């Protein structure tokens, strides 16, 4: 199993002492204030920042991110002094190991760049959910301005040209080009965490060409799945005067080579297993069973950010059909839905929250009994230890995304199944379905079939359940999030080598980008475990 130190070793073997900078919208530690204005910093929910943090701690360097306003007490917020633009991480530790550069955004920028272009234009576009897409000129303008702020922070923060810059996600599609324009020899790699849509969808975006050109300033651009790479290549072929090398999975545009790779993300499965099998979790499991009246009943679980792409309403609909068609499950099967509120400033998300709440209430009214409710809804999220206990309790977990880059909940559930008795019902439209062919693969758009799949999960033979879970756990063992980080470094190194080795004149339309010398590979890359 690769560890955080293992990813750092890979980096050193490939890049020597090349400085390292991470750039993401979300900061690795988010601020919260109490009533007295005292600020505390903690990891946001979601696995990636927590996984990259120990790598940064071992490696040093800079993490550039939007410096968000603190949550918590309104009174405390008024009393708190302005937050710093630079933070030594981990905050409050005896030994600080890396720096967080917090990019300040105005309220208007947050509204139009983050809520607007990133989450009302690009997010639904890339998830092929066009009914939610809104394009506004003010969104695009703010997106460009904020990408400019991030690029300026990178250029200021990384005076050494040899710095490897690792950008994350759909918030920063224009930053690579803005960096490269000012510093042509930069080493830039980017991971796109959400799907890349087909050309027929992507062309709906009025800014399609600028987005592609922004991203083609990267040396490496990686997605979770090969199908997303294929879609991206097809968009470049259709939209740009670019040379595509499908064999090398590379696009040459304006003399610059961008290598494209599929690198499916994973989780820190060992930590999840450890947490799920701890004595504290045993206690929590017993408490939850008692608190929610689960003794003698079968249990289903759903854990999601409250996002329309996660198929939560379709799931509730399937449950309604399940209880209608299989009355023997009334009173004997309880579904727990944990929902973490998300992007609530956006009307579509506020509406989804209301609709989920209403759908749960309707279903509960139809089927409830004095001592039982079909759905227990936990609308304000749960802590990581609580999540581990829910994953352990569940006979079935449902991930019903309408479209999803990967879906880490599916992986967390598999890792937490220490008894191996749970079944995963997994949408065929979640990236995780490519790895977990032993899940019960469901189509959330066909709710009657989906309902039958849940029933099948609940009546599956225990030996079959164990065998399926064992095979998914074996698959998860093949690589954790630290292996993924190391794989990303290897792909970045290959991309830089490919960019260097391209014979001049391969693209007759322009001269190749000048390159800085990356230090030669220092040592053998640590072997894959
Ligand atoms: C994007 C892509 C891709 C959820 N509720 C609570 C909570 N969570 C945690 C889960 C999990 C994470 O949030 C959600 O991960 P997903 O992968 O489902 O989704 P996105 O946030 O949409 O992430 C996705 C991912 O990037 C990584 O590349 O897989 O496809 O859309 O870790 O456990 N955590 C806590 N309480 C909650 O209530 N503590």
């Amino acid at each position: 199993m690769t560890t955080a130190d293992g990813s750092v070793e890979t980096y050193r073997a490939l890049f020597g002492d090349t400085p390292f900078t991470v750039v993401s919208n979300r900061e690795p530690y988010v601020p919260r204030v109490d009533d007295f204005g005292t600020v505390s910093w903690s990891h946001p929910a979601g696995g990636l920042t927590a996984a990259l943090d120990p790598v940064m701690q071992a490696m040093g360097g800079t993490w550039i991110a939007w410096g968000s306003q603190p949550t918590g007490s309104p009174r405390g917020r008024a009393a708190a002094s302005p937050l710093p633009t630079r933070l030594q991480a981990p905050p409050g530790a005896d030994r600080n190991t890396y720096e967080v550069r917090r990019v300040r955004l105005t309220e208007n920028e947050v509204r139009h760049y983050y809520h607007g272009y990133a989450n009302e234009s690009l997010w639904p576009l890339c998830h092929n959910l066009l009914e939610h897409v809104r394009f506004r000129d003010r969104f695009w303008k703010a997106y460009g301005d904020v990408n400019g702020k991030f690029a300026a922070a990178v250029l200021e923060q990384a005076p050494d040209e040899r710095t490897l810059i690792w950008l994350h996600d759909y918030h920063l599609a224009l930053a690579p080009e803005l960096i490269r324009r000012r510093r042509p020899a930069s080493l830039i790699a980017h991971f796109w965490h959400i799907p890349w849509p087909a050309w027929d969808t992507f062309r709906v975006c009025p800014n399609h060409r600028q987005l592609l050109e922004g991203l083609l300033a990267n040396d490496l651009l990686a997605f979770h799945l090969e199908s997303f790479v294929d879609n991206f290549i097809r968009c470049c072929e259709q939209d740009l005067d670019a040379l595509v090398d499908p064999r090398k999975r590379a696009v040459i545009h304006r003399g610059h080579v961008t290598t494209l790779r599929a690198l499916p993300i994973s989780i820190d499965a060992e930590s999840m297993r450890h947490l799920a099998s701890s004595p504290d979790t045993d206690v929590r499991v017993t408490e939850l069973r008692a608190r929610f009246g689960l003794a003698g009943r079968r249990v289903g679980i759903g854990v999601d950010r409250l996002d329309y792409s996660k198929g939560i309403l379709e799931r509730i609909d399937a449950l309604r059909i399940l209880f209608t068609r299989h009355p023997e499950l009334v009173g004997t099967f309880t579904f727990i839905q944990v929902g973490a509120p998300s992007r609530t400033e956006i009307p579509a998300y506020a509406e989804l929250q209301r609709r989920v709440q209403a759908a749960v209430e309707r279903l509960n009214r139809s089927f409830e009994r004095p001592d039982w409710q079909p759905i227990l809804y936990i609308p304000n999220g749960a802590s990581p230890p609580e999540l581990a206990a829910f994953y352990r309790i569940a006979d079935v977990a449902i991930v019903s995304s309408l479209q999803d880059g990967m879906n880490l909940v599916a992986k967390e559930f598999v890792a937490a199944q220490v008894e191996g008795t749970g079944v995963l019902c997994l949408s065929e439209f979640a990236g995780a379905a490519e790895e977990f062919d032993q899940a019960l693969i469901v189509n959330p758009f066909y709710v009657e079939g989906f309902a039958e799949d849940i029933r099948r999960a609940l009546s599956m033979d225990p030996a079959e359940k164990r065998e399926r879970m064992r095979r998914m756990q074996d698959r998860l063992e093949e690589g954790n999030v630290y292996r993924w980080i190391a794989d990303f470094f290897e792909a970045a190194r290959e991309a830089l080598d490919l960019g260097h080795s391209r014979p001049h004149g391969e693209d007759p339309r322009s001269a190749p980008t000048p390159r800085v010398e990356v230090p030669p590979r220092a040592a053998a890359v640590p072997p894959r475990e």
Side-chain angles (χ1 to χ4, degrees):
M1 203 38 83
T2 309
T3 59
D5 286 343
S7 337
V8 176
E9 231 183 284
T10 300
Y11 186 88
R12 293 286 171 234
L14 294 167
F15 292 98
D17 61 355
T18 302
F20 183 53
T21 292
V22 169
V23 193
S24 66
N25 174 71
R26 180 54 76 91
E27 48 190 342
Y29 293 91
V30 287
R32 192 177 169 79
V33 284
D34 63 15
D35 280 348
F36 305 101
T38 310
V39 179
S40 56
W41 300 84
S42 60
H43 284 307
L48 182 70
T49 43
L52 262 177
D53 177 66
V55 174
M56 287 298 282
Q57 286 192 39
M59 203 142 84
T62 308
W63 190 322
I64 297 171
W66 162 33
S68 60
Q69 288 301 316
T71 54
S73 153
R75 187 149 60 93
R77 261 182 283 174
S81 25
L83 293 173
T85 52
R86 287 168 195 277
L87 184 75
Q88 295 305 314
D94 294 342
R95 204 170 69 86
N96 297 128
T97 47
Y98 70 96
E99 184 171 69
V100 182
R101 169 77 198 277
R102 308 181 67 243
V103 177
R104 273 220 174 106
L105 303 184
T106 65
E107 270 181 36
N108 220 32
E109 284 169 340
V110 173
R111 189 171 320 124
H112 298 319
Y113 140 80
Y114 177 68
H115 298 306
Y117 202 78
N119 287 325
E120 286 199 83
S121 308
L122 285 179
W123 175 271
L125 178 82
C126 290
H127 288 85
N128 203 18
L129 295 167
L130 295 184
E131 70 272 29
H132 295 294
V133 166
R134 288 210 310 152
F135 296 114
R136 296 290 182 272
D137 291 340
R138 60 183 183 279
F139 292 177
W140 175 245
K141 158 110 187 30
Y143 190 76
D145 292 348
V146 172
N147 270 257
K149 280 193 174 181
F150 273 92
V154 169
L155 292 165
E156 186 193 309
Q157 194 65 39
D160 186 335
E161 267 206 345
R162 291 181 316 132
T163 304
L164 178 72
I165 301 157
W166 184 1
L167 296 152
H168 285 269
D169 233 347
Y170 59 100
H171 313 88
L172 299 171
L174 302 181
E177 193 186 6
L178 298 172
I179 297 167
R180 192 165 301 287
R181 231 189 261 160
R182 288 272 305 282
R183 195 181 289 158
S186 299
L187 316 175
I188 319 176
H190 201 139
F191 192 85
W192 191 268
H193 288 262
I194 62 176
W196 190 274
W199 166 240
D200 271 350
T201 299
F202 186 60
R203 65 192 300 188
V204 166
C205 175
N207 324 102
H208 49 80
R209 186 159 306 155
Q210 293 101 313
L211 290 170
L212 290 177
E213 287 181 334
L215 287 169
L216 287 175
N218 284 300
D219 294 296
L220 170 70
L221 174 60
F223 300 90
H224 291 301
L225 306 182
E226 288 294 349
S227 58
F228 303 155
V229 174
D230 289 339
N231 286 347
F232 185 83
I233 287 181
R234 184 95 185 109
C235 289
C236 293
E237 282 172 339
Q238 292 290 318
D239 209 12
L240 301 175
D241 186 21
L243 276 185
V244 174
D245 183 337
R247 197 175 48 84
K248 286 190 180 149
R249 310 293 264 168
V251 176
I252 305 169
H253 181 57
R254 295 189 179 145
H256 177 74
V257 187
T258 304
T259 299
L260 305 168
R261 284 282 176 276
L263 296 171
I265 199 169
S266 196
I267 58 163
D268 184 351
E270 203 174 43
S271 294
M272 176 51 86
R273 204 170 37 244
H274 189 71
L275 178 61
S277 52
S278 69
D280 282 356
T281 302
D282 289 341
V283 172
R284 209 166 264 118
V285 163
T286 311
E287 279 170 5
L288 288 177
R289 282 196 187 284
R291 173 147 53 106
F292 293 132
L294 302 175
R297 296 191 160 114
R298 266 146 343 137
V299 177
I301 178 86
V303 175
D304 308 81
R305 261 190 324 100
L306 286 170
D307 192 297
Y308 49 75
S309 67
K310 304 290 181 187
I312 304 166
L313 290 170
E314 288 73 5
R315 188 181 310 167
I316 298 171
D317 216 16
L319 289 167
R320 183 185 55 75
I321 296 170
L322 178 76
F323 285 115
T324 308
R325 293 193 180 168
H326 300 283
E328 73 281 7
L329 293 175
V330 173
T332 63
F333 171 57
T334 305
F335 190 77
I336 301 171
Q337 176 64 53
V338 179
S342 174
R343 307 175 190 170
T344 45
E345 291 81 352
I346 298 173
Y349 284 78
E351 172 69 13
L352 177 79
Q353 251 184 324
R354 280 192 295 277
R355 288 182 66 193
V356 168
Q357 181 79 43
V360 168
E361 284 168 11
R362 243 187 343 266
L363 182 80
N364 281 350
R365 270 199 308 276
S366 305
F367 294 96
E368 71 196 344
R369 291 180 169 182
D371 66 335
W372 174 84
Q373 286 203 315
I375 302 189
L376 296 172
Y377 182 39
I378 301 171
N380 287 314
S383 67
E386 284 168 336
L387 282 191
F390 283 130
Y391 290 145
R392 271 263 316 264
I393 286 181
D395 296 286
V396 53
I398 303 183
V399 171
S400 53
S401 317
L402 306 179
Q403 196 66 236
D404 215 332
M406 176 53 64
N407 196 288
L408 299 180
V409 170
K411 295 193 169 184
E412 291 164 2
F413 172 68
V414 168
Q417 274 291 304
V418 283
E419 281 104 5
T421 48
V423 179
L424 174 63
C425 279
L426 176 60
S427 164
E428 63 182 279
F429 306 108
E434 282 210 355
E435 290 166 70
F436 288 158
D437 56 357
Q438 291 300 310
L440 274 190
I441 301 295
V442 305
N443 175 356
F445 294 94
Y446 169 41
V447 285
E448 291 172 303
F450 183 3
E452 283 313 307
D453 290 328
I454 303 173
R455 191 206 52 81
R456 194 176 149 214
L458 288 171
S459 49
M460 193 182 281
D461 170 65
E464 183 181 349
K465 285 189 202 177
R466 281 210 179 77
E467 178 57 13
R468 283 175 180 263
M469 189 49 73
R470 186 189 62 72
R471 286 166 69 174
M472 288 193 282
Q473 288 176 336
D474 286 352
R475 188 69 208 254
L476 202 52
E477 286 301 310
E478 286 172 19
N480 61 6
V481 69
Y482 299 111
R483 181 69 250 165
W484 175 79
I485 293 170
D487 286 348
F488 187 85
F489 291 151
E490 284 177 22
R493 177 71 215 209
E494 276 168 29
L496 294 170
D497 291 347
L498 179 71
H500 273 292
S501 65
R502 182 168 63 86
H504 286 210
E506 192 174 309
D507 177 358
R509 282 159 294 197
S510 54
T513 318
R515 316 282 336 179
V516 286
E517 281 308 319
V518 196
R521 288 163 189 261
V525 177
R528 277 172 162 278
E529 298 81 0

